Amino acid sequence: MSDESGTQELGITESKEHNPGEWYAEVVQKAGLADYAPMGGFIVTRPRGYALWERLQDHLDGWFKETGVQNAYFPLFIPESYLEREKDIVEGFDPEVAWVTHGGHDELDERLAVRPTSESIIAPFMAEWVRSYRDLPLRLNQWCSVVRWEATETKPFFRTKEFLWQEGHTAHATGEDAWDETMTRLGQYERLYEEVMAIPGMTGRKPEHDKFPGADTTTTIEALMPDGKSVQAGTSHHLGTSFAEAFDITYTDEDEEERIAHTTSWGLSWRALGALIMTHSDDQGLVIPPKLAPTQVVIVPIWQSDTEDEVKEYAADLAAELDEEFRVELDDRDERNPGFKFNEHELNGVPLRIEIGPNEVDDEEATLVHRPDGESEVADREAITESVQDALDTVYAKLYANAEETLENNIREAHGRGEILGTLGKHGGYVKTGWCGDEACEAEIKDQIAAEIVMLPLEEDYEPVHDTCGVCGEESVETAYFAKSY
């Protein structure tokens, strides 16, 4: 947004509470995270936005490798004949597949799909690489982009035709081993959201009609946004033997018998960044939890002409010490006043600001200001490293507590079609109700209010919250969580 002189307004002008869609788009652009690409449905990820993705990636990638995963890379293009070998994949993704038909001026002998997901190109190589039980488990992961040609309005990080993600693919000797793998990855996604992103997640599984094409079970972690919508924050799929049968992933067991492998796949995309921005940010701009923040601490010296040298020297010494433990920026620009700097760093989401003026120098102290709420505290210079760590821990705790309160206050029980629709219409959030297992009952709610079953409890023998289905009144077999979703 620009004023008449053509200069961009620094601050956020939209309200998160009243115009969350416009507010979100403004935060993404003004905090320097992304721009819209010239082709509809695509975005340009700017350095500050990509830095967030890299930090998120570092956490997950480390955990993956600690649990036996190796990174690899497979081609962007998948031959049509490969894609067709698993019929559920073809049927599930066909409306969203982008096809390459020409190479230069020449028409290709076989169409190539731009990967919507990579099972169909990875599974054939897993079949080649697995011969014996000694080759199992095989755990592969790739960080890449995929393309799904959805005809939806672009919402940076939430909804784009091309998006960044990681996709893990594993093969195991038994179904039990594959299920353990599925749950391990779901647990790592939950850990990422809770420990790193300060967002409480709800883990469960998708209903049969909404699981990954070809999967036995799709598990999910769902995160509730402040606007009452749910985000599918990551999924981990127990694929059973369907892909192994389609692509002949077999192994010879200890008795020299040929067995079919059991496979999994699991993925988390940059939708996590959308959830991060939407959950924590406010009308001043971006808010980032300390573990993900590219800059964790900004030091702003405040001086007059007669105190400039001593204040700058004190601030520089402080920055040098803290730089050994934290990601620190010393903002000693002459051309900007302190108020401008405060607003700019708030807009960019720096978790902690340290203000240094003549009083702090004289008293050998530092003033620490928390980004989420502007709370300030005074720390002794001698214990500054410990004080900054405590302050960052407090910032994380505040963010998590706010998100947890939002979640806890927005899970409601409802029974009966009218009550379900009324509760979702008035409050949003999650509505818990009994479900008979019939997709038609979900469709009845979806047609009325664009809400769907986003999650079922993981335990299949979980006792339903109601004896009867909240929509049709027939016997209940599940507890379903309805919500509007991104």
Side-chain angles (χ1 to χ4, degrees), residues 7 15 153 165 195 354 381:
T7 58
S15 163
E153 184 180 348
W165 78 345
E195 293 184 13
I354 299 181
R381 174 66 181 84

Side-chain angles (χ1 to χ4, degrees), residues 71-144:
N71 283 337
Y73 188 80
F74 291 81
L76 169 67
F77 301 121
I78 302 175
E80 186 171 15
S81 58
Y82 276 55
L83 205 63
E84 289 178 340
R85 285 171 68 178
E86 215 300 324
K87 63 179 179 60
D88 288 327
I89 279 281
V90 177
E91 293 172 3
F93 284 103
D94 186 57
E96 301 175 0
V97 175
W99 293 100
V100 175
T101 59
H102 287 73
H105 297 294
D106 300 326
E107 185 172 352
L108 302 179
D109 294 334
E110 180 180 12
R111 290 197 303 173
L112 299 177
V114 183
R115 61 177 168 230
T117 181
S118 297
E119 281 79 2
S120 298
I121 190 69
I122 292 178
F125 289 92
M126 295 176 81
E128 286 187 27
W129 300 340
V130 171
R131 289 285 179 265
S132 155
Y133 69 93
R134 295 184 182 88
D135 299 322
L136 297 173
L138 177 62
R139 296 184 173 99
L140 303 172
N141 176 66
Q142 69 171 356
W143 294 92
C144 63

